[in-house]
């Protein structure tokens, strides 16, 4: 992987190499323009606020923004509706410079975050390894001491949580400790130290968990009895470790579809009589997962959520603390899958007397008010052919809900997020935003106001402060200045829509052209694909950082990105297309979309179509060549999940179903490798612990056995990614070679002097 610091050197050398290898000045200019586009645009987008930081009092917030002067810290007083600098940058720079002996630019300060003191006036920041304080009056300017960074704990996503069986869990009244000893639950009196054994059937193969939960009244406790599963390990050889010469063998925990799962059964204990009460598991005995056990505030019961393996049944269960009886409060069923990870929401009102619940039971993701005593639906809070995207806050006192939704505004892109307020009974639905754009809101701690930054891919950002009561604009904050981008020749993507496979459903996507676009020419088309059912992926906000598609277009392509059927954030039926059929990947919709776009824009040459993607997109980009070779001619696939039986359990069983059936083989790129037509490049990191790299190697093996030609790049030391700078260069060259029929330029690395200087 190329070091970031070598980029400008390599760009210059690539330019020279192009001119001296017979590559041609025209295409050499394309490469130079592509490589330098990011540098031309870097730090040239002005007046866009960074992260909004509300202060605890809920009245003020600060953000960092880049202006034509440089970086500036801004403080907003929401109550007074004022905007001002967070501090005197000139004075701070002078004092910091005097203290450190360095020249400090007030608009390029050596820190990007600040914190305020209790008076909300003095600011603290970290620079030159120390914590500093600057403010008015007696605070003035001082060095508080050395900066001690918080230790960073990197936890692998797939690792099981080890039981801390020495942990003492104190009761709310502080009279008792509960703990695990020899796999069983024990009590210890805090006053006398006397121990009492509560359970007697724990063993290494079926033990009591140390995640003990006390009831608020300190008279009851609950934990799970766990039957562990056998761990599934995947292995890597890190060929080029940085701390030793010899390669290193590594492994990760990694459950795959069909593997055994741990079984958890809640166990209830009463301090009165030191009794254990059996909890019948009839309603949760086919587990994919159980949520945390949570007590009601009055200690009458505890609740947990049960996700049945196969993801077609999901229940909220309540266990009576006196009898151990289990009753379902909410039950969701689906003939396909329940999108529990992306759309589940639950808020218990008044200690569970009512529940705010999100469900797709009517075909669209909406909110329901559930009677917590009977489990009946009291009211569907939101409804219609649009979706609730996120619940921001539920106010039990005012019985109102703040939430984000999309698709409600006729005539707008149905993926654009707007914000709303609604009463528990479904009345009083109020739009807090409505501008035809994608809105990103950051609410004050008391939810009385919020910062709204709205934009589209073809509309620069505007930021305002709004009232949460009416949505009215209280204060204009920032309006983006893209003048320098426009002078550099950059053009916004085009938003395009066409009908999908059913001839009725609108499919949305974007079209990106090179800055030197000539409408009289024909351009190959390259699709950037990610078709994961867990989201929608076409950018909806102004693209300030990710310019890779624009850089690719500069080489002489039109680049597109599309959300086809099978992805999320539309209707349930729209997403269900993916079920047990990930190879579909929305291709019938994507192909129709591009055909319609080409009719509108004849410069799109659909005889030369390429496709690329990473992870699930790596699976789909290869699938395009295997299952639709009449349309896609060139593909680049990075760290693809080429056979869903080889990938992580939690993602694949949800969309491909459980038990494992013939659909897994039918959708496998490995099984279908002999169908390959066109040109394929596979890229994989040798230590990818998100998608097992063996998946790519098994596809390579199948292609070799089928006598299919392809290219393979394995990047040493790299994890889950598109290949880094090296992979990006290989991807671009591959498309230039096979879609433009032009030999890419020689790399600077072929020059020994260049290699020496780069290293």
């Amino acid at each position: 992987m190329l070091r970031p610091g070598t980029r400008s050197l390599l760009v210059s050398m690539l330019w020279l190499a192009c001119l001296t290898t017979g590559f041609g000045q025209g295409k050499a200019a394309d490469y130079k323009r592509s490589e330098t586009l990011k540098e031309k645009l870097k730090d040239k987008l002005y007046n866009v606020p960074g992260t909004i930081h509300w202060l605890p009092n809920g009245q003020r917030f600060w953000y960092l923004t880049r202006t034509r002067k440089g970086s500036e810290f801004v403080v907003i007083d929401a109550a007074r509706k004022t905007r001002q600098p967070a501090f005197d940058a000139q004075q701070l720079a002078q004092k910091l410079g005097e203290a450190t002996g360095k020249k400090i630019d007030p608009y390029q300060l050596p820190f990007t975050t600040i914190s305020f003191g209790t008076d909300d006036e003095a600011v603290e920041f970290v620079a030159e390894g120390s914590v500093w304080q600057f403010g008015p009056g007696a605070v003035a300017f001082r060095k508080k001491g050395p900066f001690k960074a918080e230790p960073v704990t990197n936890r692998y996503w797939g690792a099981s949580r080890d039981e801390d069986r020495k942990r003492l869990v104190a009761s709310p009244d502080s009279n008792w400790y509960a703990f695990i000893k020899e796999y069983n639950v024990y009590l210890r009196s805090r006053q006398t130290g006397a121990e009492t054994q509560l359970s007697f059937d724990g063993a290494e193969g079926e033990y009591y968990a140390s995640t003990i939960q006390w009831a608020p009244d300190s008279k009851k406790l609950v934990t799970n009895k766990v039957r562990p599963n056998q761990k599934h390990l995947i292995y890597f050889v890190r060929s080029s470790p940085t701390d030793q010469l010899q390669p290193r063998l590594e492994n990760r925990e990694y459950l795959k579809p069909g593997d055994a799962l741990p079984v958890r059964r809640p166990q209830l204990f009463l301090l009165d009589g030191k009794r254990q009460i059996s909890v019948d598991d009839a309603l949760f005995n086919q587990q994919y997962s159980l949520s945390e056990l949570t007590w009601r505030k009055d200690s009458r019961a505890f609740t947990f959520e049960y996700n049945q393996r196969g993801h077609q049944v999901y229940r909220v269960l309540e266990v009576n603390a006196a009898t151990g009886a289990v009753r379902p409060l909410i039950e969701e069923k689906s003939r396909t899958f329940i999108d529990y990870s992306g759309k589940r929401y639950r808020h218990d009102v008044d200690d569970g007397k009512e529940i705010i619940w999100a469900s797709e039971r009517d075909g669209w993701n909406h909110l329901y008010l559930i009677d917590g005593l009977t489990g009946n639906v009291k009211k569907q809070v939101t409804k219609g052919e649009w979706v609730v995207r996120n619940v921001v806050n539920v106010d039990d006192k005012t019985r109102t809900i703040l939430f984000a939704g999309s698709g409600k505004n006729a005539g707008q892109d149905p993926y654009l997020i707007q914000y709303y307020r609604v009463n528990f009974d479904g009345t009083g639905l109020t739009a807090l935003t409505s501008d035809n754009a994608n809105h990103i809101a950051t609410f004050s701690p008391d939810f009385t106001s919020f910062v709204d930054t709205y934009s589209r891919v073809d509309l620069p950002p505007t930021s305002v402060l709004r009232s949460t009561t009416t949505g009215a604009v209280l204060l204009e904050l920032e309006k983006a200045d893209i003048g320098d981008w426009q002078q550099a020749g950059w053009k916004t993507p085009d938003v395009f829509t066409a009908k999908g496979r059913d001839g009725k459903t609108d499919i949305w996507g974007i079209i990106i052209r090179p800055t030197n676009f000539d409408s009289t020419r024909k351009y190959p088309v390259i699709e950037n694909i990610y078709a994961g059912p867990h989201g929608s992926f076409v950018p909806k906000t102004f693209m300030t950082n990710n310019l890779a598609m624009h850089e690719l277009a500069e080489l002489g392509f039109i680049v597109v990105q599309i959300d086809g059927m099978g992805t999320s954030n539309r209707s349930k039926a729209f997403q269900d297309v993916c079920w047990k059929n990930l190879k579909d990947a929305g291709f019938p919709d994507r192909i129709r979309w591009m055909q319609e776009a080409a009719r509108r824009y004849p410069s799109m040459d659909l005889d030369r179509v390429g496709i690329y993607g990473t992870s699930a997109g790596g699976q789909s980009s290869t699938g395009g060549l295997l299952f639709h070779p009449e349309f896609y001619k060139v593909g680049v696939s990075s760290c693809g999940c080429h056979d869903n039986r080889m990938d992580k359990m939690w993602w694949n069983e949800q969309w491909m179903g459980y038990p494992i059936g013939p659909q897994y083989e039918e959708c496998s790129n490995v099984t279908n490798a002999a169908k390959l037509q066109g040109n394929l490049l596979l890229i994989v990191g040798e230590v990818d612990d998100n998608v097992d790299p063996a998946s790519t190697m098994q596809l390579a093996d199948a292609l070799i056995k089928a006598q299919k030609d392809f290219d393979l790049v394995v990047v040493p030391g790299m994890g889950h990614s598109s290949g880094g700078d090296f992979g990006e260069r290989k991807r671009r060259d591959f498309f230039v070679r096979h879609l433009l029929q032009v030999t890419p330029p020689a790399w600077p690395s072929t020059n020994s002097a260049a290699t020496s200087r780069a290293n």
Side-chain angles (χ1 to χ4, degrees):
M1 178 176 175
L2 301 177
R3 297 175 183 175
T6 66
R7 183 179 179 88
S8 58
L9 171 64
L10 295 179
V11 168
S12 299
M13 300 195 70
L14 175 60
W15 169 246
L16 292 174
C18 291
L19 295 177
T20 58
T21 58
F23 180 65
Q25 294 189 14
K27 186 50 61 180
D30 290 343
Y31 262 83
K32 180 175 177 61
R33 195 173 55 255
S34 172
E35 293 285 352
T36 58
L37 179 65
K38 186 183 297 182
E39 298 302 320
K40 287 181 180 179
L41 304 183
K42 183 180 179 181
D43 296 334
K44 296 296 194 305
L45 182 66
Y46 306 113
N47 305 330
V48 178
T51 303
I52 305 297
H53 302 269
W54 281 94
L55 302 187
N57 65 14
Q59 299 300 311
R60 294 176 8 124
F61 60 90
W62 69 268
Y63 58 84
L64 180 64
T65 187
R66 174 166 290 279
T67 69
R68 290 189 175 273
K69 293 180 181 179
S71 295
E72 299 186 44
F73 289 86
V74 177
V75 165
I76 306 296
D77 190 312
R80 298 177 181 177
K81 301 180 181 60
T82 59
R83 179 188 187 280
Q84 62 187 36
F87 47 80
D88 186 328
Q90 294 280 357
Q91 189 178 60
L92 187 151
Q94 178 182 343
K95 291 183 176 295
L96 184 60
E98 292 170 354
T100 61
K102 295 184 177 181
K103 184 177 181 180
I104 306 294
D105 185 335
Y107 296 104
Q108 294 293 336
L109 293 169
F111 55 89
T112 58
T113 188
I114 58 176
S115 61
F116 282 82
T118 55
D119 59 0
D120 280 354
E121 295 295 337
V123 298
E124 291 187 4
F125 59 91
V126 177
E128 303 297 326
S130 297
V131 179
W132 307 82
Q133 191 175 47
F134 176 69
V139 174
F141 180 84
R142 68 187 182 99
K143 182 178 180 180
K144 293 188 67 176
F147 171 67
K148 296 180 180 179
E150 294 289 334
V152 177
T153 302
N154 293 321
R155 180 178 174 82
Y156 168 58
W157 65 268
S160 59
R161 299 192 179 278
D162 295 329
E163 284 290 322
D164 179 10
R165 296 191 175 91
K166 296 181 180 180
R167 188 166 69 99
L168 298 176
V169 184
S171 61
D173 64 9
S174 300
N175 289 331
W176 300 93
Y177 290 116
F179 61 99
I180 303 300
K181 179 179 178 181
E182 296 177 346
Y183 309 107
N184 281 295
V185 180
Y186 279 72
L187 275 181
R188 179 185 298 167
S189 169
R190 190 166 185 176
Q191 292 180 340
T192 67
E195 294 183 357
T196 303
Q197 186 171 353
L198 294 183
S199 72
F200 296 88
D201 56 346
E204 185 174 8
E206 195 161 6
Y207 58 84
Y208 285 85
S210 62
T211 52
I212 298 166
Q213 302 292 332
W214 280 94
D217 65 6
S218 298
K219 296 179 180 180
K220 299 173 278 288
L221 59 87
V222 65
T223 189
N224 284 312
K225 190 178 182 184
V226 182
R227 187 178 69 208
N229 62 319
Q230 183 175 354
K231 295 180 180 180
H232 185 148
L233 300 180
I234 57 173
Y235 294 88
F236 317 96
V237 174
R238 188 180 293 272
S239 65
S240 310
T242 58
D243 59 343
Q244 65 185 48
L245 174 63
Q246 297 300 323
R248 179 185 294 117
L249 177 65
E250 300 179 5
N251 64 62
R252 306 282 193 278
E253 291 183 41
Y254 194 103
L255 290 180
K256 296 186 178 184
D259 283 348
L261 283 166
V263 177
R264 295 177 174 87
R265 295 183 177 88
Q267 304 293 313
L268 175 63
F269 299 90
L270 306 183
L271 268 64
D272 181 17
K274 307 300 187 289
R275 291 183 296 149
Q276 179 175 358
I277 295 182
S278 176
V279 177
D280 186 359
D281 69 352
L283 290 174
F284 55 92
N285 62 5
Q286 299 179 52
Q287 299 174 20
Y288 176 79
S289 64
L290 295 187
S291 72
E292 181 180 340
L293 310 175
T294 305
W295 281 97
R296 295 300 191 192
K297 295 176 183 178
D298 65 3
S299 301
R300 71 183 187 274
F302 65 89
T303 67
F304 60 93
E305 297 178 18
Y306 162 66
N307 183 10
Q308 183 171 297
R309 192 159 188 183
H311 310 292
Q312 294 178 305
V313 176
Y314 197 96
R315 297 186 180 110
V316 179
L317 300 172
E318 183 179 82
V319 180
N320 185 295
T323 66
V326 183
R327 70 185 184 102
L329 300 179
I330 299 172
E331 182 173 86
E332 296 285 344
K333 290 187 176 181
S334 173
R335 67 169 186 82
T336 57
F337 55 82
I338 296 166
D339 191 353
Y340 68 96
S341 58
K343 296 167 184 170
R344 190 202 71 84
Y345 180 81
R346 171 187 160 200
H347 173 85
D348 290 356
V349 181
D350 194 12
D351 203 22
K353 291 180 181 177
E354 296 175 308
I355 302 171
I356 301 295
W357 178 253
S359 171
E360 290 186 285
R361 60 183 63 183
D362 77 344
W364 302 81
N365 196 48
H366 281 299
L367 299 177
Y368 293 78
L369 180 64
I370 307 293
D371 188 320
L373 301 179
T374 66
N376 296 327
V377 175
K378 295 179 69 173
K379 189 71 177 181
Q380 182 171 351
V381 182
T382 61
K383 63 177 62 178
E385 294 187 354
W386 55 280
V387 296
V388 171
R389 297 284 293 273
N390 177 50
V391 176
V392 176
N393 183 60
V394 177
D395 190 325
D396 293 359
K397 292 182 179 180
T398 62
R399 296 180 67 81
T400 57
I401 305 168
L402 291 175
F403 69 93
S406 62
K408 192 175 189 308
N409 293 10
Q412 291 187 7
D413 180 335
Y415 295 94
L416 298 180
I417 291 176
Q418 304 284 356
Y419 285 83
Y420 303 89
R421 191 187 70 254
V422 68
N423 297 323
F424 279 13
D425 63 2
T427 63
L429 180 62
T430 302
L432 302 178
T433 62
S434 59
D435 301 85
N436 184 13
N438 198 53
H439 294 254
I440 299 174
T442 307
F443 286 80
S444 63
D446 60 5
F447 296 100
T448 58
S449 59
F450 65 100
V451 176
D452 173 26
T453 297
Y454 59 91
S455 68
R456 296 191 310 265
V457 292
D458 57 350
L459 178 71
T462 295
S463 298
V464 298
L465 178 68
R466 293 185 186 272
S467 163
T468 305
T469 303
T470 64
V473 174
L474 304 176
L475 184 66
E476 304 280 349
L477 300 179
E478 306 285 351
K479 193 173 183 63
D481 174 358
I482 64 168
D484 286 8
W485 281 33
Q486 291 171 326
Q487 288 183 11
W490 182 85
K491 296 178 177 62
T492 61
D494 275 355
V495 178
F496 185 76
T497 181
K499 298 301 179 185
R501 70 187 76 182
D502 59 3
K504 299 182 295 184
T505 305
D506 286 335
I507 303 298
W508 290 75
I510 58 173
I511 301 171
I512 296 174
R513 302 176 179 86
T515 57
N516 64 345
F517 175 72
D518 180 351
S519 62
T520 65
R521 285 182 51 195
K522 284 278 193 178
Y523 293 83
V525 177
I526 299 176
E527 180 183 359
N528 174 10
I529 188 170
Y530 195 93
H534 57 286
S536 53
F537 308 100
V538 174
K540 299 300 173 183
T541 58
F542 195 80
M543 300 164 69
T544 58
N545 296 315
N546 186 6
L547 299 173
M549 288 189 287
H550 289 270
E551 295 175 53
L552 180 58
E554 291 302 305
L555 297 180
F557 304 111
I558 290 176
V559 181
V560 302
Q561 191 172 2
I562 309 153
D563 279 319
M565 290 185 184
T567 54
S568 189
N569 298 323
R570 300 285 288 276
S571 69
K572 176 75 167 121
F574 189 99
Q575 187 184 22
D576 276 350
V577 168
C578 76
W579 189 58
K580 293 188 176 182
N581 190 25
L582 285 179
K583 75 177 187 298
D584 177 277
F587 280 123
D589 313 300
R590 298 169 186 278
I591 292 170
R592 285 188 59 147
W593 186 95
M594 280 184 268
Q595 290 170 338
E596 183 61 31
R599 282 190 281 270
R600 175 85 61 87
Y601 305 112
S603 55
M604 296 174 66
D605 184 355
L606 296 192
D607 289 329
R608 295 180 292 167
V609 179
I611 186 170
Y612 73 98
T614 299
S615 194
Q619 176 182 12
S620 298
S621 51
T622 294
L625 272 62
L626 298 180
F627 304 115
H628 301 276
E630 77 290 346
F631 190 80
Y632 295 99
K633 309 301 182 185
V634 182
V636 180
S637 298
S638 301
C639 59
C641 141
H642 295 290
D643 188 309
N644 299 102
R645 295 166 293 186
M646 286 290 293
D647 193 33
K648 62 194 82 65
M649 174 194 288
W650 65 266
W651 198 84
N652 291 275
E653 283 193 7
Q654 181 166 13
W655 319 118
M656 289 296 291
Y658 175 85
I660 310 307
Q663 70 273 17
Y664 279 82
E665 185 171 356
E666 292 166 3
C667 288
S668 168
N669 290 343
V670 178
T671 302
N672 291 283
K675 297 179 180 178
L676 178 67
Q677 299 181 43
N679 303 101
L680 175 64
L681 167 63
L682 302 175
I683 301 174
V684 67
E686 69 174 359
V687 289
D688 184 347
D689 57 15
N690 186 307
V691 173
D692 188 346
S695 185
T696 295
M697 304 310 289
Q698 288 181 1
L699 174 60
D701 180 59
L703 290 169
I704 291 169
K705 290 175 178 176
Q707 299 185 10
K708 296 292 182 178
D709 190 20
F710 68 100
D711 288 64
L712 172 64
V713 172
V714 180
V715 185
M718 182 160 283
H720 194 64
S721 78
S722 298
D725 289 344
F726 183 84
E728 184 65 39
R729 180 70 59 81
K730 295 292 287 187
R731 177 165 40 255
R732 295 177 187 182
D733 283 358
F734 198 76
F735 284 131
V736 166
R737 180 180 295 110
H738 294 292
L739 288 178
L740 296 176
Q741 301 299 313
V742 172
T743 301
W747 284 25
S749 56
T750 59
N751 183 304
S752 58
T755 302
S756 175
R757 279 180 287 180
N759 291 333

